[in-house]
Amino acid sequence: MEIAIFKYYWLDTWVLANVIQLATQDFCIRYLNHTNDPCGRLFDQMTMAARSVPANIAEGSSRHSTSRETEMRLVDVARASLSELSNDYLNWLLRHEETPWSKNDAEYQSVNSIQLDKPTYKDDVLHLSSTHILTQKHKFDKWFNSGDSQIAANCLIILCNRLVMMLHRQIEHLLESFKAEGGFTEALTTERLAYRQQQSIQSDAPKCPLCGKPMIRRMAKKGINSGKEFWSCSTFPDCKGTLNIK
């Protein structure tokens, strides 16, 4: 039961999103003050954008079994929040007359080379996943705790961009799965038609005059026969055979 509830705890995207949220909270506490953020709006904006990322990944994953469409939308919201946060860090660098590290820079390559460990917890998920997140965060402590806001901002830009690409791939995977399997609505329709076919067989419904499959009762929704029941092929719209109910 615990595994079903916390399924998203195994997602690398959710783990990295939590690392970025924790690092962003630390960044804002350390470097934002009444001088550079007199109204506290930047603090609120950055911390809320960082919070939105793991929150929407978690909520989207929790909706996986009931609505693939909602899951994709929520993951896309997480991706948009992450892009907003990355731009805030870029703006911080520009305000300090700095530019992001080049991809050829040694520091960029050092950060970019660090990979996340795969989750290994099987039970006690809440405790072990929290330990896992902190372990992954400590891999970047050299930059997060450098005492230099530009170094921290550069590191977080790299992690934000990495997670944007990971979320992009996650959405593509969800889309392909949706194309192949459909969503919750399609699954309900399939189950309902199968149930109605079984009912028709059990109630000695007539066979379709066109394909021979069992027929089911339907009600006309429009036209001169609106409100009247008729026999319709259970495979409609593949087969459009009909019969009047005597």
Side-chain angles (χ1 to χ4, degrees):
M1 181 66 177
E2 188 178 37
I3 291 178
I5 295 174
F6 300 120
K7 186 176 180 179
Y8 56 87
Y9 279 31
W10 277 260
L11 293 174
D12 286 339
T13 51
W14 184 79
V15 172
L16 184 54
N18 275 279
V19 170
I20 291 172
Q21 182 184 7
L22 291 169
T24 296
Q25 291 166 335
D26 290 344
F27 181 94
C28 292
I29 291 172
R30 287 180 180 180
Y31 302 118
L32 297 184
N33 52 55
H34 291 295
T35 300
N36 57 33
D37 186 29
C39 298
R41 292 179 180 175
L42 183 58
F43 186 106
D44 292 341
Q45 177 180 312
M46 293 181 69
T47 54
M48 291 306 295
R51 178 192 177 279
S52 171
V53 184
N56 280 287
I57 293 172
E59 186 177 354
S61 177
S62 298
R63 298 293 300 275
H64 178 81
S65 62
T66 56
S67 177
R68 300 284 178 86
E69 303 95 321
T70 301
E71 182 180 12
M72 284 187 284
R73 291 192 189 100
L74 289 170
V75 174
D76 194 44
V77 170
R79 182 172 60 173
S81 296
L82 196 60
S83 297
E84 176 186 339
L85 181 62
S86 179
N87 283 330
D88 284 332
Y89 283 118
L90 174 61
N91 178 259
W92 180 266
L93 292 178
L94 295 175
R95 286 173 61 184
H96 290 81
E97 297 292 326
E98 294 284 343
T99 58
W101 290 331
S102 165
K103 292 184 177 181
N104 298 319
D105 191 288
E107 290 296 315
Y108 177 97
Q109 294 178 3
S110 294
V111 174
N112 201 45
S113 65
I114 296 177
Q115 301 299 314
L116 301 182
D117 300 323
K118 289 293 182 183
T120 56
Y121 31 87
K122 296 180 180 180
D123 53 19
D124 199 9
V125 176
L126 186 60
H127 170 74
L128 292 176
S129 63
S130 299
T131 302
H132 178 67
I133 289 169
L134 292 175
T135 300
Q136 307 318 300
K137 178 179 178 293
H138 292 326
K139 291 185 175 188
F140 304 95
D141 279 349
K142 171 185 174 181
W143 299 277
F144 292 158
N145 300 331
S146 66
D148 187 321
S149 67
Q150 287 94 320
I151 291 176
N154 265 293
C155 179
L156 280 158
I157 287 174
I158 296 170
L159 296 184
C160 285
N161 290 340
R162 178 190 296 185
L163 185 52
V164 165
M165 295 304 299
M166 292 168 65
L167 291 175
H168 178 72
R169 290 193 294 270
Q170 185 173 332
I171 292 171
E172 285 186 333
H173 175 75
L174 290 170
L175 182 58
E176 290 302 316
S177 177
F178 178 78
K179 289 178 181 178
E181 303 171 12
F184 186 58
T185 302
E186 291 82 355
L188 284 180
T189 300
T190 301
E191 291 291 331
R192 179 172 59 85
L193 288 176
Y195 175 72
R196 293 180 68 177
Q197 287 177 8
Q198 187 62 31
Q199 279 189 317
S200 298
I201 294 171
Q202 292 174 354
S203 63
D204 297 323
K207 302 295 184 181
C208 175
L210 298 182
C211 70
K213 296 291 180 62
M215 304 191 82
I216 59 177
R217 287 176 177 266
R218 297 185 189 273
M219 182 177 290
K221 297 181 179 179
K222 56 185 178 180
I224 59 175
N225 294 318
S226 179
K228 294 182 180 180
E229 287 190 326
F230 64 98
W231 290 111
S232 171
C233 183
S234 58
T235 64
F236 178 86
D238 295 331
C239 177
K240 297 180 171 59
T242 61
L243 285 174
N244 291 327
I245 294 179
K246 296 182 180 179

